Amino acid sequence: MLTSICGINWGDEGKGKMVDYLSESYDIVCRYQGGNNAGHTVINDQGKFILNLLPSGILRENVVNVLGNGMVIDIKHLTEEAGRLREQGIRITPENLKISDKAVITMPYHVLMDCLEEDRLADKKFGSTRRGIAPVYADKYMKKAFRMGDLLHPDRLYARVNDILEWKNLTVTGGYGHAPITAEEVIAYFKKYGEPLKEYICDTGLYLNEANKAGKKIMFEAQLGALRDIDFGIYPYTSSSSTIAAYAPIGAGVPNLKLDKSIGIMKAYSTCVGEGPFTAEYFGEQAEKLRAAGGEYGAATGRPRRVGPFDVVASAYGIRCQGADEVVLTKLDILSCYEELEVCTAYELDGKIIHDFPYPDALDKCKPVFEKVKGWNCDISKCRKKEDLPKEALDYVKYIEKACDCRITYVAVGAERDAVIKL
Ligand code: GDP
């Protein structure tokens, strides 16, 4: 059984919380794309955890976690993240964490290049998280990256360092006028942060195939939403990897296996971190109210998120991109402070009303068309059954189901593990 949990919107939909919730009945949770550029916040009986690289299944004793080949791994960050979790009482050993030998290593010089480029762009910046993600994916496709499996053959790895740096320093020194990266610092870095990870590195594709044959249940966990996908998102304000469910078997290492189910995680309103078009955006007091209600500040960067009402056009597109068989609507509790809610049901582009998500460039010219729906204006965060929810909240869910042509199977009404209602 292979299930993907993926984001329908711009990210921060609450995927981590839902993976934590749904992983109870899974044996393996596997991250298949991205790096430490985004974060999941998970709150459960054991405490509050921020996960940037580790799959949310790491919080469950019996779940094996995989970092797939589609990922880019900052080995220093991974070491520190695992250290923090261990201090919080979480067990992390080669038995419950397996790292793909084909995953690419994010190096300190990728982080440096990300920062140098954002600084060069100044007010034209893309809103990078400055974690080196675009530069490391670029090197992957230039075939000039180091991979986790290289750490298992240090002599060969260290012999390649000079060749890579000769090329990399052309840009670092010539392009950006920065001091060159030295082989000594790179090798020292591998020794300090790479070598201790050796026991965790393996052919995770082989591991997952065998697990699948043995009837294990495997969950794929995405890190960002459909609208940040490198191909289908709001390019160039996207991530540098494929965030969509169809990529999950590839990024996990099992391109031969087919997904049984795609579960989309969709937020009851809209949020977006960083630059780029965001049609349904609220400003001023309207934004302040929603941001404060939802605590909308990025988990990885602390940046205030841009906010707006639910966007049917963008979400229906996200559902299609993710091939979502079912959808979980999260953070419904946050909308409890409204007597009347707005929903963005269409865009106006050059005087025409459109319902299909357009080419990103056109988004700059799109204006939101809002409809009003009745709110419930009472606390629903303690509701645990469908019958507990006020009629207006259920009507809101039905309204979204119809508008987006999807099946909503759960709603989430709080950050805690049990704050989920099956519909
Ligand atoms: P992810 O990257 O998709 O996992 O999302 P983030 O972790 O960036 O953001 C989701 C935030 O909302 C986290 O702080 C969660 O603890 C919290 N959260 C998730 N679901 C709900 C919910 O239904 N209600 C409330 N109030 N908070 C939620």
Side-chain angles (χ1 to χ4, degrees):
M1 168 83 174
L2 273 71
T3 305
S4 87
I5 306 282
C6 48
I8 297 299
N9 310 115
W10 295 263
D12 308 315
E13 298 94 345
K15 295 177 291 297
K17 174 207 157 82
M18 288 312 300
V19 170
D20 180 55
Y21 177 83
L22 296 167
S23 59
E24 185 172 20
S25 56
Y26 282 79
D27 303 294
I28 299 167
V29 178
C30 180
R31 275 271 313 266
Y32 62 89
Q33 49 81 218
N36 56 318
N37 46 326
H40 298 312
T41 308
V42 179
I43 300 172
N44 58 30
D45 318 340
Q46 306 160 84
K48 178 174 175 177
F49 304 93
I50 295 192
L51 304 167
N52 299 129
L53 281 165
L54 291 165
S56 307
I58 202 78
L59 306 176
R60 290 205 181 264
E61 258 302 304
N62 304 324
V63 169
V64 176
N65 296 271
V66 173
L67 301 183
N69 53 276
M71 289 187 71
V72 288
I73 300 178
D74 180 323
I75 49 181
K76 176 168 183 275
H77 192 101
L78 178 62
T79 306
E80 290 169 355
E81 185 175 323
R84 276 195 300 276
L85 288 176
R86 285 192 184 104
E87 276 170 25
Q88 289 183 273
I90 303 298
R91 180 181 65 96
I92 303 173
T93 68
E95 275 68 55
N96 71 340
L97 177 66
K98 308 211 178 278
I99 305 174
S100 169
D101 51 1
K102 298 174 193 72
V104 168
I105 303 176
T106 310
M107 298 295 294
Y109 57 73
H110 293 124
V111 179
L112 172 72
M113 299 215 38
D114 208 354
C115 296
L116 291 171
E117 179 56 11
E118 278 289 286
D119 292 344
R120 187 190 71 81
L121 285 167
D123 58 353
K124 292 198 209 123
K125 65 185 189 301
F126 285 85
S128 162
T129 52
R130 297 175 179 246
R131 301 280 171 102
I133 306 300
V136 66
Y137 273 113
D139 281 9
K140 169 177 173 171
Y141 290 101
M142 287 288 284
K143 294 162 286 181
K144 296 202 189 287
F146 297 108
R147 307 202 295 180
M148 294 302 293
D150 298 340
L151 293 166
L152 303 178
H153 311 283
D155 292 343
R156 274 214 334 252
L157 168 65
Y158 300 154
R160 263 183 70 220
V161 168
N162 274 323
D163 289 345
I164 297 278
L165 288 185
E166 190 182 295
W167 167 76
K168 183 56 65 187
N169 279 328
L170 291 175
T171 330
V172 170
T173 60
Y176 291 104
H178 193 274
I181 317 292
T182 66
E184 291 72 35
E185 67 190 275
V186 167
I187 290 171
Y189 184 79
F190 283 139
K191 288 195 168 144
K192 182 163 182 193
Y193 296 107
E195 290 195 7
L197 293 173
K198 273 179 171 175
E199 285 175 281
Y200 296 82
I201 300 166
C202 61
D203 180 346
T204 52
L206 186 61
Y207 169 75
L208 289 174
N209 262 298
E210 284 175 357
N212 180 59
K213 265 190 224 149
K216 302 273 186 216
K217 290 178 77 182
I218 304 170
M219 177 183 280
F220 300 117
E221 174 181 9
Q223 165 228 30
L224 284 162
L227 297 165
R228 298 294 187 188
D229 180 81
I230 183 79
D231 290 297
F232 302 106
I234 48 171
Y235 188 87
Y237 301 98
T238 57
S239 198
S240 303
S241 60
S242 279
T243 63
I244 58 164
Y247 182 75
I250 299 171
V254 285
N256 54 314
L257 301 181
K258 292 202 171 39
L259 282 181
D260 294 292
K261 201 188 320 181
S262 164
I263 303 180
I265 311 299
M266 181 164 88
K267 210 158 170 167
Y269 55 97
S270 304
T271 59
C272 170
V273 177
E275 316 296 319
F278 184 44
T279 309
E281 184 164 12
Y282 274 163
F283 298 95
E285 275 177 29
Q286 259 189 321
E288 280 305 318
K289 178 175 173 178
L290 187 51
R291 185 177 300 120
E296 295 298 347
Y297 300 89
T301 57
R303 290 190 287 185
R305 294 177 185 146
R306 297 157 75 192
V307 296
F310 186 82
D311 182 333
V312 173
V313 181
S315 301
Y317 175 72
I319 290 169
R320 167 154 65 90
C321 288
Q322 298 292 14
D325 301 299
E326 53 183 278
V327 170
V328 178
L329 191 68
T330 57
K331 298 195 99 168
L332 192 62
D333 55 306
I334 302 304
L335 299 181
S336 298
C337 57
Y338 291 95
E339 269 176 34
E340 192 173 55
L341 293 161
E342 280 186 322
V343 174
C344 172
T345 52
Y347 297 165
E348 189 192 316
L349 175 61
D350 297 331
K352 286 201 201 88
I353 299 297
I354 60 164
H355 295 277
D356 291 320
F357 196 70
Y359 187 72
D361 283 3
L363 285 170
D364 292 333
K365 292 198 284 173
C366 285
K367 295 195 194 82
V369 176
F370 294 125
E371 261 183 36
K372 297 209 188 290
V373 295
K374 220 165 164 235
W376 46 96
N377 203 17
C378 64
D379 183 12
I380 57 168
S381 63
K382 302 287 175 297
C383 298
R384 293 293 177 269
K385 296 197 298 289
K386 187 178 173 184
E387 303 77 63
D388 298 341
L389 285 171
K391 179 179 176 305
E392 291 80 4
L394 281 171
D395 285 349
Y396 182 71
V397 173
K398 278 193 213 128
Y399 176 95
I400 288 178
E401 266 189 326
K402 188 154 179 260
C404 295
D405 191 19
C406 67
R407 200 160 62 90
I408 298 178
T409 47
Y410 292 92
V411 292
V413 292
E416 309 76 34
R417 191 179 254 176
D418 70 334
V420 176
I421 301 174
K422 193 163 171 30
L423 297 179

